[in-house]
Amino acid sequence: MVDDGDRGFSDRAAAAIEVHDLTRLFSGTTAVDRLSLRVERGEIFGFLGPNGAGKTTTLRMLSTLLRPTAGEAWVAGFDVTREPMEVRRRLGVMTERPALYERLTVDANLRLWAEAHEVPDADGAIRTALEAVDLGDRRHHSVSSLSKGLRQRASLARAILHRPAVLLLDEPSSGLDPAAAVQVEAMIRELVRDGTTVFLNTHRLAEAQRLCDRVAILKTGLVALGRPAELRARIFGNAISVQLADPLTVAVTEAVRRVPGVEHLAAQRTSFECRLKDIEEGTPCVVAAVVAAGGRVLEVKAAGDLEQAYLDLVSGDSSQPGVQEPGLREAA
Ligand SMILES: Nc1ncnc2c1ncn2[C@@H]1O[C@H](COP(=O)(O)OP(=O)(O)O)[C@@H](O)[C@H]1O
Ligand SMILES: [Mg+2]
């Protein structure tokens, strides 16, 4: 167990995770292509991408379970290929399906894990980990008796038992109902407050947005990387969405088009989205134009459907960030 206050990083400057040109081929197909990124200590870093994007493959390389075809990666400053044992000691991993013995109790599962990691005070460590995931009252229940959500939490308890410097989570909320997913998210936040760095895979944009300090969008190669708000701005530019009380009229759309600084307009039945040169100057002018043309405004909010823009981004052929047109389409 590593608990020296610094969580056993190789040196002061070491990032939690550093990856250079990491690549993995499977019989000729490229699952992960020249991935480079750096995760700082104490971050919640989201690894977002559609199914088959290479998220699990990356996580398996980071957790030393799979050898990279090319490139390098370090966890807590240790090389995943040359120093796998050092890496494993500092890692907590939660795979997509909870890796627990069904017939054993939660306690027995964690005890085995504590032994494998030579955790000194196993009893205390198990209690602390179960408290962290709010599962103390199920300690002596068999895993098979737990719901999917509770198993996920038991699995998280196992991953944090040895107080790892870095936690790798593969789709932590997959298969959970929204309430259980929110609970798991709260636990992840709590762990970060306690000094852990979290790298989590998800195919859910909303989860990445809610939870992560920074997000990398992966589709075999890196598509984009930044804080959620930055990605949002990059994807949308300055766009607003205006909801009206009545169906949109030609008079209203024409009036909006004439407002200086309106660059695109996408019309729906009772709403429209438009992109503006300057959102603060443009928004009041757009509203005034709508009202002057007889429209009744119900709601104005910052741009569109991030989910759709994200899907457009990852379904495009280009792997260059920011080159795709955003989710706004020119109205016919
Ligand atoms: N063990 C394997 N053998 C062959 N192909 C694999 C293996 N693991 C993953 N792949 C392929 O690598 C690609 C990325 O998969 P994966 O990393 O599981 O994506 P994700 O977790 O983002 O859904 C997919 O095309 C998948 O079929
Ligand atoms: Mg996966």
Side-chain angles (χ1 to χ4, degrees), residues 26 31 50-58 60:
F26 287 112
N51 287 328
K55 303 182 298 295
T56 296
T57 301
T58 302
R60 293 181 67 213

PDB file of all heavy atoms in Angstrom, residues 26 31 50-58 60, ligand 1:
ATOM      1  N   PHE A  26      -5.013  -4.522 -33.470  1.00  0.00           N
ATOM      2  CA  PHE A  26      -5.498  -5.892 -33.296  1.00  0.00           C
ATOM      3  C   PHE A  26      -5.563  -6.514 -34.678  1.00  0.00           C
ATOM      4  O   PHE A  26      -6.378  -6.083 -35.491  1.00  0.00           O
ATOM      5  CB  PHE A  26      -6.896  -5.915 -32.671  1.00  0.00           C
ATOM      6  CG  PHE A  26      -6.919  -5.554 -31.219  1.00  0.00           C
ATOM      7  CD1 PHE A  26      -7.519  -4.379 -30.797  1.00  0.00           C
ATOM      8  CD2 PHE A  26      -6.359  -6.402 -30.259  1.00  0.00           C
ATOM      9  CE1 PHE A  26      -7.558  -4.051 -29.447  1.00  0.00           C
ATOM     10  CE2 PHE A  26      -6.398  -6.078 -28.916  1.00  0.00           C
ATOM     11  CZ  PHE A  26      -6.991  -4.902 -28.506  1.00  0.00           C
ATOM     12  N   ALA A  31      -6.980  -0.001 -33.147  1.00  0.00           N
ATOM     13  CA  ALA A  31      -7.993   0.296 -32.123  1.00  0.00           C
ATOM     14  C   ALA A  31      -7.723   1.660 -31.491  1.00  0.00           C
ATOM     15  O   ALA A  31      -8.647   2.406 -31.181  1.00  0.00           O
ATOM     16  CB  ALA A  31      -8.003  -0.785 -31.057  1.00  0.00           C
ATOM     17  N   PRO A  50     -17.735   7.060 -28.885  1.00  0.00           N
ATOM     18  CA  PRO A  50     -18.778   6.069 -29.157  1.00  0.00           C
ATOM     19  C   PRO A  50     -18.245   4.651 -28.940  1.00  0.00           C
ATOM     20  O   PRO A  50     -17.048   4.464 -28.716  1.00  0.00           O
ATOM     21  CB  PRO A  50     -19.107   6.307 -30.633  1.00  0.00           C
ATOM     22  CG  PRO A  50     -17.851   6.885 -31.208  1.00  0.00           C
ATOM     23  CD  PRO A  50     -17.216   7.680 -30.100  1.00  0.00           C
ATOM     24  N   ASN A  51     -19.115   3.678 -28.996  1.00  0.00           N
ATOM     25  CA  ASN A  51     -18.677   2.291 -28.865  1.00  0.00           C
ATOM     26  C   ASN A  51     -17.646   1.959 -29.934  1.00  0.00           C
ATOM     27  O   ASN A  51     -17.801   2.338 -31.086  1.00  0.00           O
ATOM     28  CB  ASN A  51     -19.864   1.332 -28.987  1.00  0.00           C
ATOM     29  CG  ASN A  51     -20.732   1.375 -27.745  1.00  0.00           C
ATOM     30  OD1 ASN A  51     -20.231   1.605 -26.643  1.00  0.00           O
ATOM     31  ND2 ASN A  51     -22.017   1.187 -27.916  1.00  0.00           N
ATOM     32  N   GLY A  52     -16.594   1.278 -29.533  1.00  0.00           N
ATOM     33  CA  GLY A  52     -15.555   0.893 -30.484  1.00  0.00           C
ATOM     34  C   GLY A  52     -14.513   1.971 -30.695  1.00  0.00           C
ATOM     35  O   GLY A  52     -13.620   1.826 -31.536  1.00  0.00           O
ATOM     36  N   ALA A  53     -14.589   3.058 -29.937  1.00  0.00           N
ATOM     37  CA  ALA A  53     -13.661   4.185 -30.124  1.00  0.00           C
ATOM     38  C   ALA A  53     -12.253   3.876 -29.623  1.00  0.00           C
ATOM     39  O   ALA A  53     -11.298   4.574 -29.979  1.00  0.00           O
ATOM     40  CB  ALA A  53     -14.191   5.425 -29.416  1.00  0.00           C
ATOM     41  N   GLY A  54     -12.122   2.849 -28.796  1.00  0.00           N
ATOM     42  CA  GLY A  54     -10.806   2.501 -28.262  1.00  0.00           C
ATOM     43  C   GLY A  54     -10.633   2.872 -26.790  1.00  0.00           C
ATOM     44  O   GLY A  54      -9.515   2.835 -26.263  1.00  0.00           O
ATOM     45  N   LYS A  55     -11.716   3.189 -26.118  1.00  0.00           N
ATOM     46  CA  LYS A  55     -11.632   3.613 -24.716  1.00  0.00           C
ATOM     47  C   LYS A  55     -11.155   2.480 -23.814  1.00  0.00           C
ATOM     48  O   LYS A  55     -10.219   2.654 -23.031  1.00  0.00           O
ATOM     49  CB  LYS A  55     -13.015   4.113 -24.231  1.00  0.00           C
ATOM     50  CG  LYS A  55     -13.581   5.253 -25.057  1.00  0.00           C
ATOM     51  CD  LYS A  55     -14.913   5.744 -24.506  1.00  0.00           C
ATOM     52  CE  LYS A  55     -16.033   4.709 -24.499  1.00  0.00           C
ATOM     53  NZ  LYS A  55     -16.461   4.265 -25.849  1.00  0.00           N
ATOM     54  N   THR A  56     -11.803   1.325 -23.935  1.00  0.00           N
ATOM     55  CA  THR A  56     -11.419   0.199 -23.076  1.00  0.00           C
ATOM     56  C   THR A  56     -10.006  -0.270 -23.407  1.00  0.00           C
ATOM     57  O   THR A  56      -9.219  -0.588 -22.505  1.00  0.00           O
ATOM     58  CB  THR A  56     -12.441  -0.957 -23.225  1.00  0.00           C
ATOM     59  OG1 THR A  56     -13.705  -0.489 -22.759  1.00  0.00           O
ATOM     60  CG2 THR A  56     -12.024  -2.179 -22.415  1.00  0.00           C
ATOM     61  N   THR A  57      -9.663  -0.276 -24.670  1.00  0.00           N
ATOM     62  CA  THR A  57      -8.304  -0.672 -25.073  1.00  0.00           C
ATOM     63  C   THR A  57      -7.278   0.249 -24.421  1.00  0.00           C
ATOM     64  O   THR A  57      -6.258  -0.208 -23.896  1.00  0.00           O
ATOM     65  CB  THR A  57      -8.183  -0.623 -26.613  1.00  0.00           C
ATOM     66  OG1 THR A  57      -9.163  -1.503 -27.169  1.00  0.00           O
ATOM     67  CG2 THR A  57      -6.799  -1.040 -27.071  1.00  0.00           C
ATOM     68  N   THR A  58      -7.548   1.548 -24.429  1.00  0.00           N
ATOM     69  CA  THR A  58      -6.635   2.504 -23.780  1.00  0.00           C
ATOM     70  C   THR A  58      -6.529   2.224 -22.285  1.00  0.00           C
ATOM     71  O   THR A  58      -5.437   2.164 -21.716  1.00  0.00           O
ATOM     72  CB  THR A  58      -7.131   3.949 -24.013  1.00  0.00           C
ATOM     73  OG1 THR A  58      -7.206   4.185 -25.409  1.00  0.00           O
ATOM     74  CG2 THR A  58      -6.190   4.955 -23.367  1.00  0.00           C
ATOM     75  N   ARG A  60      -7.041  -0.519 -20.747  1.00  0.00           N
ATOM     76  CA  ARG A  60      -6.316  -1.768 -20.492  1.00  0.00           C
ATOM     77  C   ARG A  60      -4.811  -1.579 -20.671  1.00  0.00           C
ATOM     78  O   ARG A  60      -4.016  -2.194 -19.969  1.00  0.00           O
ATOM     79  CB  ARG A  60      -6.849  -2.878 -21.395  1.00  0.00           C
ATOM     80  CG  ARG A  60      -8.293  -3.254 -21.025  1.00  0.00           C
ATOM     81  CD  ARG A  60      -8.833  -4.368 -21.899  1.00  0.00           C
ATOM     82  NE  ARG A  60      -8.131  -5.608 -21.657  1.00  0.00           N
ATOM     83  CZ  ARG A  60      -7.896  -6.532 -22.587  1.00  0.00           C
ATOM     84  NH1 ARG A  60      -8.307  -6.338 -23.830  1.00  0.00           N
ATOM     85  NH2 ARG A  60      -7.244  -7.632 -22.283  1.00  0.00           N
TER      86      ARG A  60
HETATM   87  N1  LIG B   1      -9.059  -8.293 -27.874  1.00  0.00           N
HETATM   88  C1  LIG B   1      -9.427  -7.742 -29.029  1.00  0.00           C
HETATM   89  N2  LIG B   1      -9.215  -8.351 -30.212  1.00  0.00           N
HETATM   90  C2  LIG B   1      -9.548  -7.803 -31.383  1.00  0.00           C
HETATM   91  N3  LIG B   1     -10.126  -6.583 -31.489  1.00  0.00           N
HETATM   92  C3  LIG B   1     -10.366  -5.912 -30.364  1.00  0.00           C
HETATM   93  C4  LIG B   1     -10.026  -6.436 -29.071  1.00  0.00           C
HETATM   94  N4  LIG B   1     -10.381  -5.531 -28.125  1.00  0.00           N
HETATM   95  C5  LIG B   1     -10.920  -4.481 -28.798  1.00  0.00           C
HETATM   96  N5  LIG B   1     -10.905  -4.700 -30.127  1.00  0.00           N
HETATM   97  C6  LIG B   1     -11.376  -3.760 -31.167  1.00  0.00           C
HETATM   98  O1  LIG B   1     -10.787  -2.517 -30.912  1.00  0.00           O
HETATM   99  C7  LIG B   1     -11.699  -1.447 -31.143  1.00  0.00           C
HETATM  100  C8  LIG B   1     -11.855  -0.610 -29.899  1.00  0.00           C
HETATM  101  O2  LIG B   1     -12.541  -1.349 -28.916  1.00  0.00           O
HETATM  102  P1  LIG B   1     -12.737  -0.833 -27.432  1.00  0.00           P
HETATM  103  O3  LIG B   1     -11.442  -0.345 -26.918  1.00  0.00           O
HETATM  104  O4  LIG B   1     -13.406  -1.906 -26.658  1.00  0.00           O
HETATM  105  O5  LIG B   1     -13.712   0.404 -27.646  1.00  0.00           O
HETATM  106  P2  LIG B   1     -14.673   1.174 -26.614  1.00  0.00           P
HETATM  107  O6  LIG B   1     -14.296   0.751 -25.227  1.00  0.00           O
HETATM  108  O7  LIG B   1     -14.418   2.608 -26.892  1.00  0.00           O
HETATM  109  O8  LIG B   1     -16.066   0.776 -26.958  1.00  0.00           O
HETATM  110  C9  LIG B   1     -12.993  -2.113 -31.600  1.00  0.00           C
HETATM  111  O9  LIG B   1     -13.016  -2.085 -33.001  1.00  0.00           O
HETATM  112  C10 LIG B   1     -12.866  -3.507 -31.065  1.00  0.00           C
HETATM  113  O10 LIG B   1     -13.589  -4.415 -31.855  1.00  0.00           O
END
